[in-house]
Amino acid sequence: MQKLELEAEVLQISIYTNIILLILKKHKQLSVNKILLFSYVIKKDNFRLGKIYTAKNTQDILCKAISLLIGEYTDYCENVNFIIKAIHLLVVNKQVKINGYILNWIEGTEVVNSPYVESPFIEKAIEESKKMSERQFMKEVIVNV
């Protein structure tokens, strides 16, 4: 049983490693807090039948993106462990650079094709989050989740 749990953990870390690289390749840098949230949202977005929000949404994009976590708080908290391990693995293997609490893309890092993609809506939400301080971002997450 323990071997099966270990294999499941390795799979989860692998998925998040790829998602984090996809995010950083497009956005070049993002804070750890924002990576935690958006990597989880991208993973979960892949399993939703139909999209709740589209790139046509223009108001409160970030709040709408955060609202995708409603009802999934416990699952999100369980996945944070895998995401942090994925970040650690990427930093140790010099695939991303960490400067304080900001993760930076390293030019030349390869990204394996993945079924997990960043929707145009999530892309807009990430860009919107860059305009917000870490403190305000975390307040929005706490209020909306």
Side-chain angles (χ1 to χ4, degrees):
M1 185 67 162
Q2 189 173 6
K3 183 180 177 187
L4 185 59
E5 288 173 359
L6 185 60
E7 289 174 1
E9 181 177 8
V10 168
L11 181 61
Q12 291 286 351
I13 294 169
S14 173
I15 289 167
Y16 281 117
T17 298
N18 191 262
I19 292 170
I20 292 165
L21 286 174
L22 289 171
I23 292 170
L24 290 176
K25 183 176 183 180
K26 185 176 284 183
H27 301 281
K28 303 303 179 209
Q29 69 176 21
L30 205 59
S31 73
V32 172
N33 285 330
K34 294 171 185 174
I35 285 284
L36 290 172
L37 181 107
F38 289 117
S39 57
Y40 178 80
V41 169
I42 289 170
K43 181 181 175 222
K44 287 297 183 177
D45 196 44
N46 206 46
F47 295 106
R48 275 192 193 89
L49 299 173
K51 302 297 178 199
I52 298 171
Y53 301 115
T54 67
K56 292 178 183 177
N57 292 96
T58 57
Q59 293 184 332
D60 300 324
I61 292 172
L62 187 56
C63 290
K64 289 176 182 175
I66 294 169
S67 76
L68 295 172
L69 292 179
I70 292 174
E72 296 185 22
Y73 178 74
T74 304
D75 189 45
Y76 172 68
C77 290
E78 290 170 2
N79 277 263
V80 164
N81 185 36
F82 300 126
I83 302 167
I84 290 172
K85 288 179 180 181
I87 291 169
H88 175 73
L89 189 64
L90 289 168
V91 170
V92 167
N93 288 312
K94 297 182 169 91
Q95 291 184 292
V96 299
K97 190 171 115 178
I98 190 162
N99 187 9
Y101 59 89
I102 303 292
L103 289 173
N104 294 288
W105 170 254
I106 295 176
E107 237 14 87
T109 302
E110 290 187 36
V111 181
V112 180
N113 286 338
S114 169
Y116 298 95
V117 294
E118 184 181 296
S119 71
F121 171 74
I122 298 299
E123 180 180 356
K124 282 175 120 177
I126 291 172
E127 287 302 316
E128 191 68 27
S129 77
K130 288 181 176 183
K131 300 173 188 173
M132 187 179 284
S133 72
E134 289 303 303
R135 185 180 196 135
Q136 184 61 36
F137 179 79
M138 291 311 296
K139 281 183 181 179
E140 292 294 333
V141 171
I142 291 167
V143 167
N144 285 290
V145 176

